[in-house]
Each structure stands twice: as C-alpha cells, then as structure tokens.
Amino acid sequence: MEDNNDIFSSQPRGIPEPALRRLPKYYHYLKHLQTQNRISVSCTHLSKALMVDPTLVRKDLSFTGIKGKPKTGYLVEGLISAIENFLKINNNKEAFITGAGHLGTALMGYGGFEEYGLKIVAAFDTDKEKVNTSIHGVHILHPEKLPELAKRMNVRIGIITVPAKAAQETANLMVKSGIKAIWNFSPAEIVTSEDVIIINENLASSLAVLSHNLLVISKESN
Amino acid sequence: MEDNNDIFSSQPRGIPEPALRRLPKYYHYLKHLQTQNRISVSCTHLSKALMVDPTLVRKDLSFTGIKGKPKTGYLVEGLISAIENFLKINNNKEAFITGAGHLGTALMGYGGFEEYGLKIVAAFDTDKEKVNTSIHGVHILHPEKLPELAKRMNVRIGIITVPAKAAQETANLMVKSGIKAIWNFSPAEIVTSEDVIIINENLASSLAVLSHNLLVISKESN
DNA sequence: AATAAATAAAGATTTTTTTCTCTAAACCTT
DNA sequence: AAGGTTTAGAGAAAAAAATCTTTATTTATT
C-alpha cells in the first residue's frame, strides 16, 4: 500500500488511497438503499450510516465526478454508477490464485468478490494431490502451466496465498507471465519491477491494532 | 479503524495506527533474521528489506521503548521482545468466531495467527448441519451457547464472518456476552457502545485499490 | 413571493503522518 | 590516538488527510 504510492505520486493528483478505500463502503451501502427503493441520499445520511464525517463523504464522492443537489443530495442510482465507473466494477477482472491451501480455498469460495467484478478463473498449487482437482468450481493446475495460461487468457491479476518462503518466487513467475497486479496475502514483502502493482493484505496488522487497543482499554478500566 | 481513533485521541498520545500496523511487519522479518542467527540489525537494513523509510523505521520502533546503538543498530533479540511486549504477543488471546462458512473456515485453518498469540477456541453457526461438528479442530456450536461460554472462558475477542445481514445482530450478542474487541470481516458497518473495539477488515477496499491502480497503469501505457 | 431549512461545494485550518536535517554517539581503520 | 564512517535520535519541515467554516443553491413552508 504505502509502498506503491510513490509510483503514482508524480501524477496530476489522483484520489488519496484512504478515500479510494472508502468507496466500496459507500457502494455496498448504496446497493442496500437501492433494494429499499430509495431514490436519493444525502451525505449526512451516509455519514451517519457509515460513521464517516459528512464533509469527508462529500470529498470522497466528488472524486467519482458525481454532482449532488443542495437539499436533496445525490441520486442513489447515479451514485452507484459513478462509483462503478470510477472503480471499473463492471469491467470483469479475471484473476489467478496461487496457493490452494486454507486461505486460497477460502478466497475461492468467498462470494464477495463478484460484487466488485473479480473472478478467480484458475488456481495453482505444487501439491500433486491437488493438481487437476477443483475447489469451489476453480480448477487447480501446476504452477508450470501458469505462464502459458496467463498469456492465453490475458490475465492481469494474481493473488498470492502461498507460504512466505514461496511468495517472491511466485511473484516472479507471475510477473514473467505478464501479470500486472499482485494481491499478496502472504506475510512476505514482495519486490518487483515498478510497473507492477503490489497490494499487501496483512491480517497481522489488524490483529496488532486489535490486540494493542484491547490492552489500552484494559489499562483505562483500572 | 479510523472509526475507533477518536476513542483514544484524548489520551496522552499513543502510537499512530499506521505505525502500529507496521510493527508486525518488522516482527515477522526479525523472526526470520533470528533463524539466520543475526545478532543485530540497523534501521537501514530493515528499511531496505521492508521498503519503509529508515527514519520511519526508527520512529516506529521507538514506540516499543527500545534503544539502539549508533553504528550497530538494534539487537535482534531485544527488538523481538520489545515488539512482543508492546503488542502483547505472548499474552495468549482467545477468540470466538461466528460464521463457519468459507471465510470462517479459512480463518480457523489459517496458521498465521498463532505467531501473534491469537487462538480461536470455538466457532458458532446457526446451520444445524454444522453444529456439533469440528472444523480444523475448532468445535462448532449454536450461537445461543455463546454468552455462557464467553463468560465462563472469559473470551474478549470475537471474529465476525457471518453475512452482512447478520453482522449487527452477531455483534450485539457478542457485546452482551462481554466481548470487548470485534474483528469484523463482513462488509456491514457495526455499531456498538464506545468501549468496544471494532476493527473492520474489508477485502473490497484492497480490491478497489488494485482495480483502480490497474486502470491508472493501463492509461499510462497508452 | 418571501422566508426558512437543509445540504452541496469550495476553500481554509488543523491534525496526522512522513520525510528531511542535524547532532552526537559508537565503531572501525590507519 | 585520530579521523572517518555509520547510525540512532531529536526535532523541524513537508506532505497528506481530515475537519471546520463559509457560501450558495435548492426545496419546502408560510
């Protein structure tokens, strides 16, 4: 995350990452409003529902290019399409996943990605027991098949769920195969050429926040 | 995350959340150095290995109270214990998980939490097929058993992996049962009393960053 | 039609986080 | 022992992000 920022910092001035990360939050809630047939919504409303400062909501939404009307707010439908368009949610994004262990399996079975246009189209694992089987409808292949398939299917997103030791090697294989964005779930730091996007998902970070704040609370109540 | 900040903002001035989130990164790498019998390490070294500015590394580490020596850096062992102590990694933290679907199952099978002292001691699911079975050695119970068990075992951490609809209800049950920290993997926003810590893990956020940056790259190469 | 209330939008301010600069300490080399 | 080099540490500066303030617009109400 912070690691990738510098690649873009020289640019005209895009959306700040925190704002970008809040957009799916709005999107998900707006989809909910839509099922309840709400026509319009104000920042105040979104602010209360999602616990984000109302001015910040407005700033965030403005990056998508949408305009609201005083007194009424934004059209729910318009806002949804604006976010979809900005995040390219409707562009189907095909991804490979490497590492068909527990976490990989969970991600393959996790339905939540479809809402954002991501589809896992193949999985790779070195375990002979797993090769040529399917998990949650995703076929598992040996990593040696990855380069050819990536090129043939023009897959540009790779998800890494292998152990830390194998992470860099896996990333190298992906990059060599033309993959342009890597979502790394392993705790290892991955180094690639500058034109590849690396997003690190580090569950330990959240656990640290949880654990430390729990400690702070305990001290307070003494 | 940002939602919980205000609870602590009135305090003497603790560690900033970004710094807190980087600590496990250092910790993991230091453990690796330890297996290679390295005695000491400098911020410059950590900086290069983890792609974090060296002064920032120093600032981050200083929050744990550790002192380094000019020219040599820090003792690997000392640094490890300082972080362990600061994050209370060696305090065993027992947690409940609610929702034994794909994501819940993955988290139960995910070995990475033990490194940080977290142990999932029981799971809860309303599905009768699942109740009284075990997944990855974790026993699954009906949620009605949660309050009593939480009090008996003095469990203070709850992990939510239920669908968005059921998230708030699950959180209410947890809070009523004495749980003080909730790690929410559902996309729903959870509201509780102020003394409960909520950490939202939102995979869609990362996906948004990935997707948007991929778009930015594509435009650049035109 | 006039007034009031709600809200978007723009910009200023504040806060937070990161980066830069300088100093002093520790070690190494000669 | 002297000088050079590396590095921690403290504090200043810059950058980034969030919050606050003001203004103007729109709708509803009288």
Side-chain angles (χ1 to χ4, degrees):
Chain A
M1 344 227 130
E2 64 280 359
D3 317 348
N4 327 59
N5 269 348
D6 43 337
I7 305 175
F8 305 105
S9 58
S10 54
Q11 280 186 261
R13 203 79 197 83
I15 183 172
E17 188 173 311
L20 182 53
R21 286 187 167 269
R22 279 186 297 267
L23 287 181
K25 212 165 166 171
Y26 304 130
Y27 182 70
H28 184 83
Y29 184 71
L30 287 163
K31 282 279 194 175
H32 165 73
L33 288 182
Q34 201 176 38
T35 65
Q36 309 207 330
N37 300 316
R38 277 208 54 150
I39 305 296
S40 62
V41 66
S42 70
C43 287
T44 324
H45 178 112
L46 291 172
S47 165
K48 279 175 191 158
L50 303 172
M51 316 248 280
V52 178
D53 185 275
T55 357
L56 193 53
V57 175
R58 233 167 268 141
K59 284 237 167 83
D60 290 346
L61 296 181
S62 74
F63 287 107
T64 69
I66 193 125
K67 297 277 168 187
K69 267 191 189 174
K71 188 80 186 201
T72 30
Y74 303 83
L75 292 177
V76 173
E77 211 175 289
L79 207 40
I80 287 176
S81 354
I83 297 176
E84 279 178 349
N85 199 47
F86 187 81
L87 296 179
K88 288 288 174 285
I89 284 177
N90 290 334
N91 284 26
N92 284 326
K93 292 171 285 290
E94 298 191 323
F96 282 168
I97 189 163
T98 309
H102 292 310
L103 190 54
T105 303
L107 294 182
M108 285 181 243
Y110 182 55
F113 295 149
E114 277 168 36
E115 185 181 350
Y116 298 94
L118 186 83
K119 194 179 174 194
I120 298 171
V121 292
F124 300 88
D125 202 296
T126 49
D127 186 342
K128 282 177 187 166
E129 299 275 307
K130 288 175 184 164
V131 168
N132 280 320
T133 65
S134 284
I135 296 181
H136 301 306
V138 181
H139 202 68
I140 302 174
L141 301 163
H142 192 276
E144 66 189 15
K145 308 266 187 183
L146 195 151
E148 196 224 317
L149 201 60
K151 280 163 197 161
R152 186 145 56 83
M153 298 182 77
N154 193 30
V155 169
R156 305 204 303 151
I157 299 173
I159 303 172
I160 293 182
T161 49
V162 300
K165 276 180 195 169
Q168 183 62 56
E169 184 191 355
T170 303
N172 295 346
L173 179 71
M174 285 179 167
V175 172
K176 206 180 66 185
S177 311
I179 279 179
K180 289 292 170 205
I182 292 175
W183 197 359
N184 175 32
F185 282 79
S186 92
E189 202 66 15
I190 284 174
V191 184
T192 64
S193 51
E194 285 220 334
D195 62 333
V196 177
I197 298 154
I198 310 278
I199 304 288
N200 293 302
E201 199 71 52
N202 194 347
L203 294 180
S205 290
S206 299
L207 196 46
V209 177
L210 190 101
S211 183
H212 184 262
N213 286 358
L214 201 51
L215 182 77
V216 174
I217 284 201
S218 314
K219 275 189 183 159
E220 272 175 2
S221 56
N222 282 351
Chain B
M1 342 222 137
E2 64 281 357
D3 318 346
N4 327 58
N5 269 348
D6 44 338
I7 305 174
F8 305 105
S9 58
S10 55
Q11 281 186 262
R13 202 79 195 81
I15 183 172
E17 188 174 312
L20 183 53
R21 285 187 168 269
R22 280 186 297 265
L23 287 180
K25 214 165 164 171
Y26 304 129
Y27 182 71
H28 184 83
Y29 184 70
L30 287 162
K31 281 279 194 175
H32 165 72
L33 288 181
Q34 202 176 37
T35 64
Q36 308 206 330
N37 300 317
R38 276 207 56 147
I39 304 297
S40 62
V41 66
S42 71
C43 286
T44 323
H45 178 113
L46 290 173
S47 166
K48 280 175 190 158
L50 303 172
M51 315 249 277
V52 178
D53 184 276
T55 358
L56 194 54
V57 175
R58 233 167 269 140
K59 285 239 164 81
D60 290 346
L61 297 181
S62 74
F63 288 107
T64 69
I66 193 125
K67 296 279 169 185
K69 268 190 188 174
K71 187 81 186 202
T72 30
Y74 303 83
L75 292 176
V76 172
E77 210 175 291
L79 207 39
I80 288 176
S81 354
I83 296 176
E84 279 178 349
N85 199 46
F86 187 81
L87 296 179
K88 288 290 175 283
I89 283 177
N90 289 335
N91 284 25
N92 284 325
K93 291 171 283 289
E94 299 191 323
F96 282 168
I97 189 163
T98 309
H102 292 311
L103 190 55
T105 302
L107 295 182
M108 284 182 246
Y110 182 56
F113 295 149
E114 276 169 37
E115 185 181 351
Y116 299 94
L118 186 82
K119 195 181 175 193
I120 299 171
V121 291
F124 300 88
D125 201 296
T126 49
D127 184 343
K128 281 176 187 167
E129 299 275 306
K130 287 174 184 165
V131 168
N132 279 322
T133 65
S134 284
I135 296 181
H136 300 306
V138 180
H139 202 68
I140 303 174
L141 301 163
H142 192 276
E144 67 188 14
K145 308 266 187 184
L146 195 151
E148 197 224 316
L149 201 60
K151 279 162 197 161
R152 187 145 55 82
M153 297 182 77
N154 193 30
V155 169
R156 306 204 303 151
I157 299 172
I159 302 172
I160 293 183
T161 48
V162 300
K165 276 179 195 170
Q168 183 62 55
E169 185 190 354
T170 303
N172 295 346
L173 180 71
M174 285 178 166
V175 172
K176 207 181 66 185
S177 311
I179 279 179
K180 289 293 169 204
I182 291 175
W183 196 0
N184 175 33
F185 281 80
S186 93
E189 202 66 14
I190 285 174
V191 184
T192 63
S193 52
E194 286 220 333
D195 61 333
V196 176
I197 297 154
I198 310 277
I199 304 290
N200 293 302
E201 199 72 51
N202 195 347
L203 294 180
S205 290
S206 300
L207 196 45
V209 177
L210 190 101
S211 184
H212 185 262
N213 286 357
L214 201 51
L215 182 76
V216 173
I217 282 201
S218 315
K219 276 189 182 159
E220 272 173 3
S221 56
N222 282 350

